[in-house]
Amino acid sequence: MLLSLAGLIVLNSPFKERLWPQPGDVPVEPVPPVEALHPVVAAKMTELIKLTSKAGITILITDGFRSSLEQDVLYEQGRTAKGQVVTNAKGGASYHNYGLAIDFALRTSEGDAIWDLTYDGNHNGKADWSEVVAIAKSLGFAWGGDWKSFKDYPHLQMDFGYSIDELKRGKRPPDDVKP
Ligand SMILES: [Zn+2]
């Protein structure tokens, strides 16, 4: 009787909102930083390397997880630092920062890394780059070459429906998320 009365008081008190998390609450516990590729992205990357190899194409993964600090350094390239602009994303604004993106290049038979969109190393009349992108898409990757504002041809990502804003707020795709 006393216990149920106490329960009633709690349920009807104005402090109720503070007892249970409300939608939109900032998480109390700090979100652990992402420090590696998401396991699903890593597995799909391995599959991509295998499948492209079967098609006679050797790819090189030039970037995967990137810390926010590394992203900031990259953002300055072509702006305050020398080189050409390679990203429009500052630290925390790229899927690389959450382990959800990879970049690739082609490797020629001579062993050189190239970013040539027309190279046909397996001599099947199709550009190797487009073949890699087609295989990547079949695995569930989205391609940066499809972006309207800034074409990022080496870039492949899996967002699992999470926006950058959600990721910034600490939301994370679970390890067993479906691509
Ligand atoms: Zn990228």
Side-chain angles (χ1 to χ4, degrees):
M1 173 63 190
L2 257 177
L3 268 179
S4 61
L5 194 67
L8 262 175
I9 291 166
V10 169
L11 280 173
N12 292 307
S13 90
F15 301 111
K16 194 178 82 180
E17 275 101 289
R18 299 272 56 90
L19 293 175
W20 287 282
Q22 299 295 304
D25 265 8
V26 176
V28 180
E29 293 290 318
V31 186
V34 179
E35 286 168 333
L37 273 185
H38 187 283
V40 172
V41 178
K44 293 293 175 181
M45 176 186 79
T46 305
E47 252 185 275
L48 178 67
I49 295 168
K50 264 190 213 154
L51 291 175
T52 48
S53 164
K54 258 188 200 162
I57 302 166
T58 308
I59 61 165
L60 194 69
I61 303 300
T62 59
D63 221 344
F65 167 73
R66 204 184 282 151
S67 73
S68 281
L69 189 68
E70 289 167 325
Q71 185 71 37
D72 278 333
V73 171
L74 200 64
Y75 180 82
E76 291 311 324
Q77 187 178 317
R79 293 186 171 92
T80 60
K82 65 176 164 59
Q84 65 181 66
V85 170
V86 289
T87 183
N88 273 349
K90 289 189 183 180
S94 162
Y95 282 96
H96 283 285
N97 306 148
Y98 304 95
L100 301 177
I102 57 172
D103 296 331
F104 76 93
L106 300 175
R107 200 195 277 281
T108 67
S109 47
E110 289 80 39
D112 298 321
I114 56 164
W115 287 261
D116 182 343
L117 304 189
T118 61
Y119 179 76
D120 181 18
N122 61 0
H123 309 290
N124 65 352
K126 288 185 267 181
D128 291 4
W129 202 278
S130 308
E131 290 186 74
V132 175
V133 168
I135 294 169
K137 285 181 176 179
S138 77
L139 293 171
F141 283 102
W143 180 43
D146 289 329
W147 293 348
K148 300 276 182 294
S149 54
F150 180 84
K151 302 237 178 250
D152 192 352
Y153 296 104
H155 182 94
L156 300 167
Q157 73 180 38
M158 288 189 180
D159 62 24
F160 305 112
Y162 287 71
S163 69
I164 286 291
D165 275 350
E166 288 173 312
L167 293 164
K168 273 187 182 172
R169 285 203 304 271
K171 293 206 189 298
R172 300 283 180 264
D175 283 358
D176 61 350
V177 68
K178 293 275 166 291

